[in-house]
Amino acid sequence: MDELAALRREISALDTQILDLFARRMAAVERVAEYKIREQKPIHVPSREGEILASARGQTPEGLEGYGEALVRTMLRLSRERQYELFLEEEGAVMSGELAAVEGSGQGVLTLELDADPKAVAFVVDLFTDLGIAINRLECLAKDSVRQRFLLEFSIDRGGSLVQRALYQLEQETTNLQLLSWHADAQP
């Protein structure tokens, strides 16, 4: 049992170091966001992310390449989420209609159409999960070899700001996403 306790202490110490480095990385991301906002540069730059992922694959020990890539993809996604958050704070709300009018909390329902690629669905789920938006139901309504249509039910935060961020980021980063409908049952 002492061996296991020692291993857990080692992991905890490493986690502390990782979180410190993550905080430093996110501070740098905020400076990048300030630059992009000031210079009106896009937040999502797939070519840059491809370079970062290729570098990560080359630096990851043999046998752990997939895990290293997953870690870097997650950091990149969280970095973009923070940049979009700062962009929306700086530039103001860009969404309108029902979403902007949500004043309470409640249930939201989206019908969306995506490419028939499992990564497209995973991106939507990861984004909502990262923002702490509870997905209550995800159902595939229709699918063919090119497109798939989903019903997504989720909980709405007070004022809908997290949902607004999620939809804005989806709009910016997915070329073939179609938001087919939006409905909110808000309760003040």
Side-chain angles (χ1 to χ4, degrees), residues 6-60:
L7 291 169
R8 287 179 173 163
R9 282 193 301 275
E10 179 183 356
I11 289 172
S12 292
L14 291 168
D15 287 347
T16 298
Q17 292 175 26
I18 290 169
L19 289 172
D20 179 55
L21 290 170
F22 178 72
R24 289 173 48 197
R25 186 183 198 287
M26 292 304 279
V29 163
E30 289 176 4
R31 293 190 303 275
V32 167
E34 290 169 4
Y35 174 85
K36 288 179 177 180
I37 291 166
R38 185 178 64 248
E39 300 297 323
Q40 300 180 339
K41 300 286 186 184
I43 290 171
H44 187 223
V45 183
S47 61
R48 173 69 179 134
E49 290 189 9
E51 293 169 4
I52 293 168
L53 289 168
S55 175
R57 281 189 295 274
Q59 295 176 29
T60 306

Side-chain angles (χ1 to χ4, degrees), residues 128-183:
F128 274 65
T129 302
D130 289 344
L131 292 173
I133 302 169
I135 296 175
N136 304 324
R137 179 178 166 204
L138 178 63
E139 180 180 340
C140 184
L141 302 174
K143 183 177 181 177
D144 61 32
S145 61
V146 179
R147 304 288 288 165
Q148 51 192 347
R149 183 174 294 175
F150 286 91
L151 175 75
L152 177 69
E153 291 181 0
F154 54 91
S155 298
I156 300 173
D157 68 309
R158 182 130 188 99
S161 62
L162 291 177
V163 176
Q164 191 173 35
R165 281 176 44 202
L167 292 178
Y168 183 76
Q169 186 170 348
L170 286 172
E171 177 184 75
Q172 297 300 307
E173 293 188 20
T174 54
T175 54
N176 294 316
L177 170 79
Q178 288 187 311
L179 179 61
L180 301 174
S181 67
W182 158 257
H183 174 73

Side-chain angles (χ1 to χ4, degrees), residues 69-142:
E69 184 173 340
L71 174 63
V72 172
R73 280 188 189 283
T74 299
M75 286 192 311
L76 292 171
R77 191 177 65 247
L78 295 173
S79 297
R80 289 192 316 270
E81 287 172 17
R82 180 65 176 137
Q83 290 181 64
Y84 284 118
E85 177 183 25
L86 294 171
F87 174 80
L88 290 172
E89 286 173 3
E90 181 74 22
E91 299 297 319
V94 295
M95 307 291 283
S96 60
E98 259 188 281
L99 181 62
V102 174
E103 294 297 330
S105 58
Q107 179 83 8
V109 180
L110 290 174
T111 308
L112 47 105
E113 194 167 284
L114 303 164
D115 287 339
D117 176 359
K119 290 180 182 178
V121 178
F123 174 70
V124 172
V125 171
D126 286 345
L127 177 59
F128 274 65
T129 302
D130 289 344
L131 292 173
I133 302 169
I135 296 175
N136 304 324
R137 179 178 166 204
L138 178 63
E139 180 180 340
C140 184
L141 302 174

